[in-house]
Amino acid sequence: MRFRHPDGSLVHLAYCTNVHPAEDLDGVIAQLSRYARPVRERLGVPRLGVGLWLARRVADTLVTDRAELVRLRKALDHNGLEVVTLNGFPYEGFQDAVVKHGVYHPDWTTPERVRYTLDLARVLTLLLPEDVDGGSVSTLPLAWRAPWTPQQVAMADRRRDRLNRELAGLAGATGKTIRVGFEPEPGCVVETTGQAVRHLAGQGVCLDACHLAVAFEDPAEAVERLVAAGSPIVKLQASCALELDGGADREALRAFAEPRFLHQTRAGGGAAADDLDAALDRLPADEPWRVHFHVPLHAAPEPPLRSTRHVLEDTLAALFGGERALTPHVEVETYTWEVLPDPPDGPDALADGIAAELAWTADRLTALGLKREHA
């Protein structure tokens, strides 16, 4: 879906396909008709944005076989879909039985990570709609926090230098500007927007509202910090974390301690755990907790649990409530539907849920003065 900000700029709303477990091109194309097109039809819009996740194997196929890339583009067009952003954080295996720390590998010290990101950028230049000349790719915030030696810092800096040089060359060759956003996440080298300013030196940033919430960052201050530092916000991932008041029964969280994804947990006083299991054992129960578990945007969890939807609303206001839009891309990224305590039953239910999230987000954008474009 497309929206026009009062400043005249175009804002794209999409949902991220990393919720779907396909790691070959046939599987990715099948997702488009099985899930994305039904979501579009439920919303009653002629065109729907999808933030594609293309695993390493799919990216290999698309950069080496132009016919296969044309096949993907035709499938997008056939289903009334468009792509302006890619999720390049997971490299492969994102819906495996156990992911946990594996999602941070390969990291930005490795040639594999920079090659993958550049391949995604090249693919995106050929997937962008004809009337759009800029796209975005989100990526991990350098690496998991440890080990992180001076030698690794130097290697990551060299990889980013190469990334920036080749993106500039790609823009010159194609007329399409692809920006890469490093996504701060709890537990990583870059956990917060303050660390993004210190470690990334003006590099593009992808803001994830769930991550902002878990870090107890104030959205308005976070956005102002990035703008003041000259760090472009290339994408917002619209997402919500789990939240629990201090003194509330922690047992309500136990059903969310599942084996696939890492659920970093932070207490209001600063205590931290790398996963929810560990938090339940040792974080102070008399303080509020926030948990890195992406929960549906539109639906509140059962009390005493809440979602950090208020943080997402504040983030949207900080990005779009002023005189100018501060990012062109909003990507709904609830990849955890299947591991919810009460997961959707089948593709129809999942399409219903994704459509409801997009409708909720679209309503918030229009409430901020953006106008939906129906073409």
Side-chain angles (χ1 to χ4, degrees):
M1 288 187 282
R2 297 181 175 195
F3 296 80
R4 188 70 62 176
H5 189 271
D7 69 0
S9 64
L10 197 60
V11 175
H12 297 262
L13 173 61
Y15 90 90
C16 184
T17 66
N18 64 357
V19 64
H20 307 311
E23 302 212 13
D24 59 38
L25 185 58
D26 287 343
V28 170
I29 289 174
Q31 294 168 359
L32 305 180
S33 58
R34 188 175 187 188
Y35 297 103
R37 181 171 182 162
V39 169
R40 179 181 65 76
E41 291 170 346
R42 282 161 172 75
L43 292 166
V45 296
R47 175 170 43 187
L48 177 69
V50 287
L52 288 181
W53 174 57
L54 304 173
R56 171 72 267 180
R57 182 174 154 198
V58 182
D60 283 341
T61 297
L62 295 175
V63 296
T64 58
D65 190 335
R66 186 64 172 266
E68 291 291 75
L69 196 145
V70 169
R71 183 162 74 99
L72 174 58
R73 179 64 184 264
K74 287 181 176 178
L76 289 163
D77 293 342
H78 175 73
N79 287 291
L81 308 171
E82 68 176 9
V83 176
V84 300
T85 187
L86 300 177
N87 189 324
F89 194 131
Y91 188 81
E92 60 189 358
F94 190 60
Q95 292 293 341
D96 285 353
V98 178
V99 180
K100 298 293 185 182
H101 290 87
V103 74
Y104 307 110
H105 299 284
D107 63 31
W108 273 93
T109 66
T110 68
E112 290 84 2
R113 176 56 67 172
V114 71
R115 279 201 302 267
Y116 173 57
T117 308
L118 286 168
D119 283 347
L120 292 179
R122 294 181 186 106
V123 168
L124 185 53
T125 63
L126 297 168
L127 292 180
L128 286 173
E130 291 181 3
D131 61 341
V132 174
D133 60 10
S136 63
V137 178
S138 50
T139 188
L140 72 158
L142 298 180
W144 186 249
R145 69 179 181 275
W148 192 243
T149 66
Q151 292 78 13
Q152 288 173 300
V153 172
M155 283 191 290
D157 286 347
R158 289 197 296 271
R159 307 297 181 206
R160 290 193 296 116
D161 287 344
R162 179 191 165 193
L163 171 75
N164 293 331
R165 287 195 308 271
E166 297 209 20
L167 288 177
L170 185 65
T174 66
K176 306 286 188 179
T177 300
I178 307 301
R179 300 192 297 173
V180 171
F182 289 75
E183 181 184 330
E185 178 171 318
C188 294
V189 172
V190 178
E191 296 197 36
T192 65
T193 56
Q195 290 173 337
V197 168
R198 290 197 299 275
H199 292 297
L200 297 175
Q203 193 86 48
V205 170
C206 170
L207 273 188
D208 185 303
C210 170
H211 302 172
L212 279 177
V214 173
F216 286 89
E217 289 203 68
D218 177 84
E221 292 176 1
V223 168
E224 184 179 356
R225 183 178 299 116
L226 293 171
V227 171
S231 297
I233 302 168
V234 306
K235 176 164 68 173
L236 169 67
Q237 285 181 328
S239 55
C240 295
L242 277 172
E243 183 173 48
L244 189 63
D245 287 336
D249 185 5
R250 309 288 111 167
E251 285 303 306
L253 283 168
R254 199 166 295 277
F256 292 85
E258 54 81 33
R260 181 174 299 173
F261 299 114
L262 201 63
H263 300 298
Q264 302 95 311
T265 304
R266 301 291 184 264
D274 284 342
D275 211 347
L276 182 52
D277 288 340
L280 290 167
D281 289 340
R282 58 183 174 82
L283 289 194
D286 60 345
E287 297 178 4
W289 287 13
R290 289 179 178 175
V291 182
H292 178 218
F293 193 120
H294 288 217
V295 292
L297 309 189
H298 65 291
E302 289 293 323
L305 299 178
R306 298 194 306 271
S307 86
T308 58
R309 188 164 55 192
H310 58 97
V311 176
L312 173 56
E313 291 175 330
D314 289 347
T315 306
L316 289 166
L319 291 170
F320 300 111
E323 294 183 355
R324 62 189 181 99
L326 297 179
T327 187
H329 299 156
V330 179
E331 179 184 65
V332 171
E333 199 216 12
T334 306
Y335 58 82
T336 46
W337 283 95
E338 190 176 300
V339 297
L340 288 168
D342 185 21
D345 185 14
D348 289 345
L350 179 56
D352 288 341
I354 294 169
E357 290 191 296
L358 287 164
W360 181 91
T361 309
D363 286 346
R364 296 314 178 275
L365 291 174
T366 55
L368 289 167
L370 282 73
K371 296 188 182 299
R372 187 179 299 184
E373 298 218 325
H374 297 285

